[in-house]
Amino acid sequence: MMSRCQPKDRPRRRPRHSGDALFALLVAAASLAQTGPLAAQEAGLRGEVAENVLQAQDRDGLTTGAVPAAKPGPARSDATPAANDAPAYQPISPGAVPDQPDTMSDSSADTLSDDAADGFADTPSSTTAVPAAVPGETDDTVQTAATPRPAASPEDHTDAGEVETNRRARTIDSEDRQPLDPRAERTGAIEGTAPRADDDPFAPVGIPMGTFTLRPSIEEGITATSNADSSVGGKSAVLSETTLRLNATSNWALHSATIDAYGTFRKSVSGDEVSETRGRIDGTLNLDLDNDWRAIAKLGYEAGPESASSPVVIQNTTDQPLHQIIDGSLGVEKDVGKARLGLTGTVERDLYGDADLDDGTTLSQKDRNATLYTATLRGGYEISPALTPFLETEIGRRVYDEKEDSLGYRRSANRLGIRAGTELDLGEKLNGEVSAGWIREALEDDRLPAVSGASVNADLKWSPERGTTIGLTGNTTVEGTTTTGESGSILYSGTLSLERRIRDDLTANAALGAGWRRYYGVDGHDRILSAEAGLTWWLNRYAGITTRARYEKQTSSLPDRDYDAASVFLGLKVQR
């Protein structure tokens, strides 16, 4: 039978044989206090209690049923107690059970055994521990150790208030896994470094469009010039000048394509009346084919007034006639070991508009319209990755739309040329090619001598240091003509350019040009010199102030061919 302590104002019910029973209760309380260390040991240690420890406690006079030994098997969870476990007694109020000595006399133990056998014969010896108070009872209600506790089943759940006898062990890395200080600063990555500075912080960033990146720019300014149209006897003027430029580059994984275009519009603000438009567009497509074959296709178009330095001079004109050029090429290349083979076909079409004369009439220029067809075969051998000498042969034909011009000359001609040169590839330091040879065009009309002479071509870029680029270009051009008694001319032209980035936001450029023209069928020549220098100061990545000065002069052994022109430009350039 289980009895509970009654409130202080009620008389306590006394059992039979009150004297003997009272003594037995005192002894039982002392025995219960004796089991405190054993329960503490079980609560503070993980695992089972050794058998030899229990036997040693029995020899000291403790009841083996006070704290039952844990059964073998897996450790129980917090929610399911093991069978036959009895919770340790925990008093509700401090001091409810006085401290007892660690040991008991043999006589007290014998008396406890006799009284227990006499008064509590029906109580199992393994359930002497008193369970904790049931939730909801007052602090004045205390459960006594009089009623045996039935054995717990694995399905039973731990009552609220029971003391866990199998504590959860701490993990090995618990000391390292401490809460982070919210006020601590974030630490950068071990491999992290300072971001790399942009090589050209004022270069255009471009506009993505499909698989291409577009880089447009516009330049608007005022030009003051001493010769508005660079002609013989030209007058000074102040011009409004606008230039549009566009570069488009593909983002393809295998092939590549580029488009470059520009257009310039000039109109007089004061002085000599000038209104002209000129521009050009070029497209290049590179294809990587099977078996190390490569294909290169190019297409271009140019339109604008004919240059004042043209070999054909039309007297008494108000404006230079319109000159249009349509050109295209298709080439294939293949590497066979260190050998380089290439074949390129080119077509160039020249169209001339009518010339406006001073008297209000026009002069047709259709007899100057012609098409040039050429085929070039190149073979080279790679001596080193930086040096590849080559030899090329060119054959072609120039065909005029009019079989005979207005004076009855048949000006169609056959072309033959041969050149030797080398390709250079030293990375950013030096790259390009240079060649020299001989070229000849023989006209169909026997009255006109052939146009022949040395051929020199170059396209080199040299960078002696970062931010500085020096370029050299050279061309040999065979020019046709419809002038009486002339077969044509050969023009040798070259340009030496320099571009220097003084600071990130300040760029300087300069160029020196030279040209020499030789006429065939008449004893004469032209010499052309030019110089240009400019600065661009970038306000930010998208806008800058630009200025340039240019001087050009032509002297000729033929009459009415000399002129010079000086100009200064100041404007604003916007790019994206």
Side-chain angles (χ1 to χ4, degrees), residues 231-384:
S231 62
V232 178
K235 299 178 181 179
S236 62
V238 176
L239 308 174
S240 171
E241 184 171 332
T242 303
T243 302
L244 299 175
R245 292 184 177 88
L246 174 66
N247 171 263
T249 306
S250 67
N251 302 319
W252 305 338
L254 182 59
H255 312 298
S256 64
T258 58
I259 299 175
D260 292 288
Y262 80 91
T264 300
F265 310 92
R266 305 173 75 229
K267 186 174 180 59
S268 296
V269 176
S270 64
D272 192 15
E273 185 66 29
V274 173
S275 179
E276 65 178 37
T277 301
R278 67 173 64 248
R280 181 173 178 84
I281 181 171
D282 290 288
T284 304
L285 175 63
N286 294 280
L287 301 175
D288 290 333
L289 308 178
D290 295 336
N291 301 321
D292 295 332
W293 284 94
R294 297 182 300 276
I296 303 174
K298 297 181 179 181
L299 184 63
Y301 173 75
E302 181 178 354
E306 187 174 14
S307 173
S309 60
S310 170
V312 177
V313 178
I314 304 175
Q315 301 293 336
N316 303 321
T317 60
T318 58
D319 295 307
Q320 290 291 100
L322 178 66
H323 182 201
Q324 301 179 73
I325 301 175
I326 304 173
D327 53 53
S329 66
L330 178 62
V332 291
E333 298 177 352
K334 182 177 176 61
D335 297 342
V336 182
K338 292 187 175 183
R340 305 289 184 263
L341 301 176
L343 177 62
T344 303
T346 303
V347 178
E348 180 178 333
R349 173 77 171 164
D350 290 284
L351 298 172
Y352 295 88
D354 296 340
D356 296 330
L357 303 180
D358 294 339
D359 56 5
T361 61
T362 59
L363 178 64
S364 176
Q365 298 288 300
K366 63 180 182 179
D367 57 350
R368 297 177 61 190
N369 297 340
T371 304
L372 176 64
Y373 305 91
T374 61
T376 303
L377 177 64
R378 173 182 289 195
Y381 187 81
E382 182 182 310
I383 297 178
S384 69

Side-chain angles (χ1 to χ4, degrees), residues 498-502 506-510 534-536:
L498 169 66
E499 184 175 351
R500 171 66 177 172
R501 193 170 68 194
I502 302 174
L506 184 62
T507 303
N509 59 79
L535 283 173
T536 302

